[in-house]
């Protein structure tokens, strides 16, 4: 079974109420080969919500208490991001998941680059909070680009 970021299968869960559904991933859901989850909604955040970025580090630093996640209005949403990561890990541990495909560049789901905390559209090397927790639990996380190119 595959776990996919909800926004990648067409669910309108992005911070701006949008989605980035891909027909190839939606097909996996329709065939019963995949389930989906949105860590930020699992963490208690709503749609739409203020955009958020990780300040002074990446998802690993957030888990270690060395960095935080803040919205563009400077509201600290770190606890919700960590809660969502833990809820996503719980799904992985209770379902028979062997592949994880999470949305690139997200402060929750990114697996290679994330936005740099300046809300200027600039990316930096690093992973999102959920991806960091999954990696720490020995779980490999692919982005949608990784999955399609593999
Ligand atoms: Fe939810 Fe992750 Fe998609 Fe953001 S990138 S909307 S947290 S599934």
């Amino acid at each position: 079974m595959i776990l996919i970021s909800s926004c990648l299968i067409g669910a309108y869960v992005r911070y701006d109420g949008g989605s980035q559904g891909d027909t190839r991933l939606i097909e996996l859901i329709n065939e019963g080969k995949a389930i989906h989850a949105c860590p930020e909604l699992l963490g208690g955040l709503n749609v739409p919500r203020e955009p958020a970025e990780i300040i002074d580090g990446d998802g690993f630093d957030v888990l270690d208490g060395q960095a935080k996640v803040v919205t563009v209005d400077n509201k600290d949403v770190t606890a919700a991001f960590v809660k969502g990561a833990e809820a996503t890990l719980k799904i992985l541990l209770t379902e028979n998941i062997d592949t994880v495909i999470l949305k690139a560049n997200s402060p929750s789901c990114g697996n290679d680059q994330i936005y740099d905390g300046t809300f200027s559209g600039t990316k930096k090397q690093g992973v999102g909070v959920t991806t960091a927790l999954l990696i720490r639990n020995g779980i490999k996380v692919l982005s949608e680009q990784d999955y399609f190119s593999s």
Side-chain angles (χ1 to χ4, degrees):
M1 186 68 75
I2 302 170
L3 179 82
I4 305 174
S5 285
S6 297
C7 56
L8 290 174
I9 59 93
Y12 295 99
V13 295
R14 276 171 48 101
Y15 73 92
D16 58 1
S19 158
Q20 288 189 296
D22 183 290
T23 52
R24 293 167 290 182
L25 298 179
I26 293 169
E27 191 65 19
L28 292 174
I29 296 284
N30 292 340
E31 291 171 352
K33 295 177 180 170
I35 61 172
H36 66 93
C38 172
E40 291 173 28
L41 294 198
L42 289 170
L45 298 173
N46 298 314
V47 181
R49 55 191 174 277
E50 293 297 317
E53 296 188 4
I54 299 174
I55 306 294
D56 295 330
D58 77 347
F60 291 116
D61 301 306
V62 171
L63 295 178
D64 291 338
Q66 304 296 320
K68 58 185 180 177
V69 190
V70 299
T71 68
V72 68
D73 291 340
N74 206 30
K75 181 182 170 198
D76 188 334
V77 287
T78 306
F81 274 66
V82 172
K83 182 180 174 189
E86 290 170 345
T88 306
L89 175 62
K90 193 171 177 187
I91 291 171
L92 274 160
L93 297 178
T94 52
E95 302 287 337
N96 187 24
I97 305 291
D98 54 27
T99 303
V100 179
I101 307 168
L102 298 185
K103 178 78 187 74
N105 306 322
S106 152
S108 289
C109 295
N111 78 333
D112 178 35
Q113 291 195 312
I114 54 173
Y115 291 100
D116 72 352
T118 62
F119 296 92
S120 63
T122 309
K123 292 174 199 163
K124 65 183 178 184
Q125 203 70 32
V127 304
V129 181
T130 292
T131 297
L133 186 62
L134 299 188
I135 290 172
R136 284 219 169 139
N137 282 272
I139 299 161
K140 184 178 179 184
V141 176
L142 303 175
S143 70
E144 65 276 30
Q145 293 104 330
D146 296 332
Y147 181 72
F148 291 132
S149 63
S150 64

